């Protein structure tokens, strides 16, 4: 049964997923950035909460720009930011994400706390995500993204 807010007649999962392939949140954009057609440039150093960071500018092949602040000592991402003009009524919004509380999951460090600050005109919204457990490479049902599972009769 589809959630009440979901309209299966207007959302096509395959088209939605195809459109999201260039979004920054689907996969870490720095990983294999050249293969994705993106360019990364070191634009200097900055200090975030007493941590000296390298500041990188990543530009996707579609022209989207995201900035990263990477800890100079251990190369962990401390912060990222970007502007998004693809919002309702093409209002620009800036999104600043802070990553902290790194812990290992299968010997890979992951941020277990993520703070997101969204600024849109005079509106400011904040979200904090706290992660208890990360499990890597669990099996997923083959029909996980099957668009037919949400068809309403």
């Amino acid at each position: 049964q589809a959630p009440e807010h979901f309209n299966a007649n207007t959302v096509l999962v395959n088209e939605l997923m195809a459109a999201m392939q260039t979004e920054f949140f689907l996969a870490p954009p720095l990983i294999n950035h050249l293969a994705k057609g993106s360019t990364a440039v070191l634009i200097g150093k900055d200090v975030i909460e007493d941590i000296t960071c390298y500041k990188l500018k990543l530009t996707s092949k579609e022209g989207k720009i995201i900035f990263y602040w990477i800890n100079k000592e251990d190369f962990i991402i401390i912060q990222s930011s970007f502007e998004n003009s693809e919002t309702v009524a093409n209002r620009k919004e800036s999104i600043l994400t802070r990553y902290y509380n790194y812990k290992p999951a299968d010997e890979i460090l992951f941020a277990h706390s993520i703070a997101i600050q969204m600024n849109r005109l005079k509106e400011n919204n904040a979200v904090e995500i706290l992660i208890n457990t990360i499990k890597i490479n669990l099996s997923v049902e083959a029909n996980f993204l099957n668009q037919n599972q949400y068809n309403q009769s």
Side-chain angles (χ1 to χ4, degrees):
Q1 182 75 340
E4 287 183 50
H5 66 276
F6 185 87
N7 185 342
N9 296 324
T10 59
V11 176
L12 299 174
V13 173
N14 290 338
E15 289 179 21
L16 179 61
M17 293 303 292
M20 291 175 60
Q21 291 300 313
T22 61
E23 292 300 315
F24 286 119
F25 298 113
L26 258 192
L30 282 175
I31 296 175
N32 297 324
H33 70 281
L34 291 175
K36 296 174 189 173
S38 299
T39 58
V41 177
L42 175 64
I43 59 174
K45 292 181 186 174
D46 205 350
V47 177
I48 305 293
E49 295 183 12
D50 297 326
I51 300 171
T52 302
C53 299
Y54 293 115
K55 186 175 180 183
L56 297 178
K57 178 182 178 182
L58 182 81
T59 306
S60 74
K61 67 181 176 184
E62 295 81 20
K64 294 182 182 183
I65 297 172
I66 186 168
F67 292 95
Y68 287 97
W69 287 261
I70 299 174
N71 188 323
K72 181 183 171 196
E73 301 300 320
D74 57 17
F75 301 101
I76 290 176
I77 297 174
I78 301 298
Q79 182 173 286
S80 65
S81 73
F82 70 96
E83 282 194 1
N84 182 11
S85 60
E86 296 176 11
T87 60
V88 176
N90 286 325
R91 296 179 181 159
K92 282 197 175 186
E93 69 179 357
S94 62
I95 300 174
L96 177 72
T97 306
R98 177 78 167 86
Y99 308 89
Y100 54 99
N101 191 20
Y102 277 86
K103 298 178 189 175
D106 288 346
E107 300 181 21
I108 301 171
L109 287 177
F110 287 93
H112 280 65
S113 301
I114 302 169
I116 304 169
Q117 178 71 40
M118 296 165 278
N119 301 309
R120 186 180 317 154
L121 296 176
K122 295 181 181 180
E123 296 177 33
N124 292 318
N125 299 300
V127 174
E128 184 165 11
I129 301 169
L130 304 174
I131 301 168
N132 291 323
T133 306
I134 295 176
K135 296 182 180 181
I136 300 175
N137 291 331
L138 298 177
S139 59
V140 177
E141 293 179 27
N143 67 347
F144 176 69
L145 291 177
N146 183 351
Q147 65 187 12
N148 294 326
Q149 75 188 39
Y150 292 112
N151 284 343
Q152 298 175 359
S153 28

